[in-house]
Amino acid sequence: QVQLVESGGGLVQAGGSLRLSCAASGRTFSSYAMGWFRQAPGKEREFMTAISWNGNTYYADSVKGRFTISRDNAKNTVYLQMNSLKPEDTAVYYCAADSRGVTGEPDYWGQGTQVTVSS
């Protein structure tokens, strides 16, 4: 069982930056692929980015070049650095863990953290 707790969300102006963190419980964090998804009001949850156990990264086109995912296995934490934020980035952001690699269908989810970008 893996528990994920996100932090770092908040209100930011367009063009600004935020850094989200996701702290994971469990001894096997380093073997999991980790990812970030988001869900805007009235929309389905969508994939943003993921990082494999060995550091390979994947990004949705909508955030490529603006968002950066990283992980610190010593701290059981994955990060999402978000730059050049736009109002359309407003959503609840979810951290996720996948024991089978980057499949797009994670096994575990965090509770989410709200990110609001004002224009």
Side-chain angles (χ1 to χ4, degrees):
Q1 188 77 10
V2 175
Q3 292 185 326
L4 305 171
V5 179
E6 302 99 333
S7 61
L11 174 64
V12 63
Q13 289 188 333
S17 299
L18 277 177
R19 188 195 196 202
L20 305 183
S21 299
C22 173
S25 66
R27 297 175 294 173
T28 58
F29 172 80
S30 61
S31 67
Y32 281 76
M34 300 297 297
W36 290 93
F37 293 70
R38 70 185 181 189
Q39 186 167 20
K43 295 186 177 181
E44 294 189 353
R45 187 157 51 190
E46 60 175 341
F47 167 81
M48 291 288 95
T49 178
I51 185 167
S52 67
W53 67 272
N54 61 350
N56 293 326
T57 56
Y58 308 83
Y59 295 94
D61 288 343
S62 58
V63 303
K64 197 173 296 182
R66 300 189 299 124
F67 290 11
T68 302
I69 189 171
S70 61
R71 66 189 299 161
D72 185 337
N73 290 337
K75 295 183 178 180
N76 278 18
T77 301
V78 62
Y79 304 98
L80 180 63
Q81 178 66 43
M82 304 186 293
N83 298 328
S84 303
L85 283 162
K86 307 174 183 179
E88 52 263 43
D89 293 318
T90 295
V92 178
Y93 283 70
Y94 296 91
C95 174
D98 195 334
S99 61
R100 298 159 295 168
V102 180
T103 66
E105 298 180 351
D107 305 289
Y108 304 101
W109 295 89
Q111 82 287 350
T113 186
Q114 177 71 45
V115 172
T116 303
V117 184
S118 63
S119 57

